[in-house]
Amino acid sequence: MEVRVRMAPSPTGFLHVGTARTALFNWLFAKKNGGKLILRIEDTDLARSTPEFEKDIVEQLEWLGITWNEGPIRQSERLDLYETHLKRLLDEKKAYWCTCTKDELEAKRKEMLESGIAPRYDGACREKHLGQDSKGVIRFVMPEHAIGFTDLIRGHIEFKGDMIGDIVIAKSLKEPLYNFAVVVDDEDMKITHVIRGEDGIANTPKQLALQAALGFRHPHYAHLPLILDASRAKMSKRNAATALAEYRAAGYLPEAMMNFLALIGWHPEDDKEIMVPEEIAKIFTLERVQKGGGAFSLEKLNWMNAHYLRAMSDAAIAKRIGWEDSGKNRRIIALVKPRAETLNDFATHGAFLFDLPKYEPELLLWKDMAPGAAKASLEHVIALVEKGDAAGIPKLAEERGRGETFWPLRVALSGLKESPGPIEILDALGTDESLRRLHLAIGKLEKIS
Ligand code: GLU
C-alpha cells in the first residue's frame, strides 16, 4: 500500500521550529518509503487563522527544502465534506446537539472536581434528541470502553474508557472542530501514518473513536518527542526564538537547519552528524526516533551552520548574502569565513572592511608603546606597501618586534580591538584602501604625540 503522510500546521502563528521538525520527519518518512506527503492547512479556527501565517508556513517550508506532493489543502474550503459526515453521525445517533450553557457546564465541572471526579461532560443532552435546527454545539458519543493503540515510537498506549466524556466535535454544521476535521481528512486523504508531536497523544483516543463511529480505517500513529531548550524545558517563545523565520533571518542556512532538525529526537546508528537530506532519507526510520525530549542546542546549530558555510565557495556565499560577486567581496568573504557561524556574520564581521570603524588613537599603541614608535612602525609598513612588497612585513616584524609591528598595523587597518590578522586584512582591502587607512592612523598618532 502506498505510504501517505501529512503535515498539518495550523496558521495561527509563524511556522514553529517544532512544526518544521514534524514536517521534516514526515518528509523523510515519505521519501524513505516512496510515499506521498500532503500539506494540509488546519484553519478551522477562523478567529485565530490568518492568510499571513499560512503564507509564512508555506514560505518557510519551501525555504527549508521540504517539498510536498499534494496541497496546500485548506480545511476551511472543505466545510461541505465535514457537514456530510456530521449529519451522518447525528442521523445515526452517534452524535447529538447539546445546548448546555457555559455557566451550566462550569457549575457541573466544579461539582465533579469537588467530589473528586475528573471533570467531563455528563451527557445531559444525550437523551434530549434536539433537532437539526438546534442552536447548540454537536457532541460525539464517546464509547465507554478503554481505547488503546500501538504508537510506532512509544509502543502500546491505553486510555481508560470513562475519562474523556462526550467531546464537542463542531460548533455548528459548518464549524467542525479540530478532532473531527482531522479524522475526516485523514480518511479522505488516505493517510496511512499520522506522524505528529507528542501533544497529539491525548487526541488520539478521540480520533480513534470517531474513526470507528464513521466506519473509517485507523491510520498508524507515531508521536514525536518534544523539543527541549538548553535548560531541558519545553521550548517556548519566552526563552528562545521559536519561529523558523527568525533563524532564517539570523543567517542560518536551510541545509544546516534541516540537518540540525533531523537530529532532534533521531540519530543514525553510527551517530554521524553531518548528513545531507537525501542521505538521511535513505536511512530514516521511526523505530530510531527516541521517546524522550530532544534538545535544541543553539551551540550545535552554530557549529553545524559554520560547517556548511565553510563547505561553500566564496562565490556561492556572495550569492546567498546578496553581494556582487566581485574580487573584493570574495576576498572579504574568504577572510570572514573561517570564523563565521551565520550568513549575517559576513556583514557584521566584514563591516570594518567596507567602513573603517571610529577608534581612539590610543588603541594603536601596543602595550606601553610611545605614539612616535607606533608612527615609525606604520611608516615602515607604508614604505613596503608602496613598493608592492607587503610580503616583507613579517621580516620587518622580526626586526622591530612582532607586537610593535602587527598591533598598530592591525588596528590601523581594522579600527578594531579584535579582528583577523593584518596581512589577511591588507590583502582583502587592497593597496589603495590599506594605504589610506595607514595614513589616517598616522594622523591620529600625530595628534597624541
Ligand atoms: N494542526 C495541528 C497542529 O498544528 C496538527 C495536528 C495533527 O497533526 O493531527 O498542531
Side-chain angles (χ1 to χ4, degrees):
M1 192 169 63
E2 183 185 54
V3 161
R4 287 174 64 85
V5 291
R6 82 297 201 279
M7 36 191 184
S10 301
T12 53
F14 296 109
L15 183 70
H16 191 285
V17 287
T19 314
R21 198 266 313 243
T22 301
L24 173 61
F25 280 31
N26 275 284
W27 182 82
L28 290 167
F29 186 76
K31 258 186 136 38
K32 167 73 187 287
N33 295 289
K36 296 263 155 54
L37 175 59
I38 293 135
L39 173 57
R40 182 167 84 210
I41 304 291
E42 303 210 318
D43 58 352
T44 51
D45 185 345
L46 295 174
R48 291 173 59 225
S49 300
T50 74
E52 289 72 34
F53 290 140
E54 182 187 319
K55 188 164 165 265
D56 177 73
I57 288 166
V58 170
E59 273 178 20
Q60 303 313 330
L61 288 172
E62 280 174 346
W63 171 75
L64 201 56
I66 290 182
T67 47
W68 50 92
N69 306 93
E70 293 167 32
I73 299 169
R74 284 178 208 94
Q75 289 188 324
S76 60
E77 291 168 4
R78 297 158 59 81
L79 299 180
D80 290 349
L81 175 68
Y82 309 126
E83 184 175 2
T84 308
H85 292 292
L86 277 172
K87 281 186 172 157
R88 190 154 66 82
L89 283 184
L90 286 165
D91 286 347
E92 294 172 4
K93 308 253 177 298
K94 291 172 179 165
Y96 58 90
W97 288 95
C98 167
T99 50
C100 292
T101 64
K102 258 209 174 98
D103 290 346
E104 284 168 345
L105 292 172
E106 190 46 41
K108 282 181 194 171
R109 214 182 97 85
K110 257 191 162 160
E111 225 171 86
M112 288 185 188
L113 278 174
E114 274 160 19
S115 26
I117 310 171
R120 62 191 172 94
Y121 183 62
D122 65 355
C125 285
R126 212 190 269 193
E127 304 311 325
K128 288 190 193 158
H129 305 298
L130 301 166
Q132 294 279 5
D133 48 358
S134 198
K135 280 254 151 39
V137 297
I138 300 171
R139 283 191 189 269
F140 171 62
V141 180
M142 267 304 278
E144 294 287 308
H145 57 77
I147 299 176
F149 68 100
T150 302
D151 189 281
L152 294 177
I153 295 165
R154 282 146 206 277
H156 191 72
I157 301 179
E158 179 125 350
F159 292 82
K160 279 206 258 162
D162 54 357
M163 297 293 288
I164 300 171
D166 294 349
I167 55 166
V168 179
I169 54 171
K171 290 199 275 187
S172 74
L173 286 171
K174 290 281 186 217
E175 294 170 283
L177 292 178
Y178 162 73
N179 278 303
F180 185 75
V182 162
V183 163
V184 172
D185 283 344
D186 286 344
E187 169 73 9
D188 186 64
M189 296 170 187
K190 301 186 171 61
I191 299 302
T192 57
H193 297 75
V194 172
I195 304 168
R196 62 184 171 195
E198 190 180 294
D199 44 356
I201 294 177
N203 286 317
T204 310
K206 303 172 191 171
Q207 296 177 9
L208 290 168
L210 279 164
Q211 286 153 4
L214 288 158
F216 295 166
R217 312 156 292 118
H218 299 304
H220 295 290
Y221 286 90
H223 290 93
L224 306 175
L226 283 180
I227 299 188
L228 306 175
D229 65 15
S231 58
R232 311 258 340 137
K234 183 177 171 183
M235 203 174 161
S236 85
K237 264 190 217 168
R238 268 174 291 118
N239 45 28
T242 54
L244 195 67
E246 292 174 84
Y247 290 91
R248 181 181 182 178
Y252 292 98
L253 297 162
E255 47 273 51
M257 202 72 210
M258 209 188 216
N259 191 162
F260 172 72
L261 288 175
L263 295 175
I264 299 184
W266 175 89
H267 61 101
E269 234 162 304
D270 59 3
D271 278 327
K272 196 171 168 192
E273 303 253 51
I274 301 289
M275 280 175 292
V276 294
E278 283 66 27
E279 208 177 339
I280 301 174
K282 264 189 213 137
I283 55 170
F284 181 83
T285 61
L286 289 172
E287 286 71 32
R288 288 201 63 78
V289 175
Q290 71 196 42
K291 294 188 191 71
F296 187 102
S297 155
L298 198 58
E299 215 172 276
K300 182 165 174 180
L301 175 59
N302 286 336
W303 166 78
M304 204 165 253
N305 207 59
H307 176 93
Y308 277 89
L309 280 175
R310 279 196 276 289
M312 279 170 81
S313 72
D314 300 340
I317 291 176
K319 201 167 167 199
R320 291 271 184 123
I321 55 182
W323 287 9
E324 186 199 331
D325 187 17
S326 66
K328 180 173 179 204
N329 284 347
R330 279 202 199 186
R331 284 196 298 277
I332 293 172
I333 288 166
L335 183 62
V336 175
K337 197 157 76 172
R339 293 166 202 84
E341 286 185 330
T342 68
L343 287 170
N344 295 7
D345 285 349
F346 291 95
T348 52
H349 298 184
F352 75 92
L353 296 155
F354 295 102
D355 291 302
L356 179 66
K358 286 199 176 62
Y359 65 94
E360 294 302 320
E362 286 75 15
L363 190 61
L364 288 159
L365 307 177
W366 168 250
K367 292 188 172 165
D368 51 7
M369 204 179 189
K375 187 179 160 216
S377 174
L378 290 180
E379 278 166 346
H380 277 98
V381 173
I382 289 174
L384 286 173
V385 174
E386 279 178 340
K387 276 199 299 188
D389 186 20
I393 297 174
K395 192 161 162 273
L396 181 77
E398 291 307 317
E399 291 162 14
R400 300 186 50 91
R402 289 179 61 80
E404 286 78 359
T405 308
F406 286 136
W407 181 270
L409 172 59
R410 203 187 52 67
V411 173
L413 295 176
S414 70
L416 299 173
K417 224 181 196 152
E418 284 172 48
S419 74
I423 308 292
E424 294 167 86
I425 303 175
L426 211 149
D427 183 49
L429 286 175
T431 308
D432 292 351
E433 178 61 13
S434 296
L435 285 172
R436 190 186 74 81
R437 292 185 181 195
L438 287 165
H439 284 295
L440 212 125
I442 286 177
K444 280 181 190 267
L445 288 168
E446 279 168 354
K447 273 191 208 143
I448 57 165
S449 308

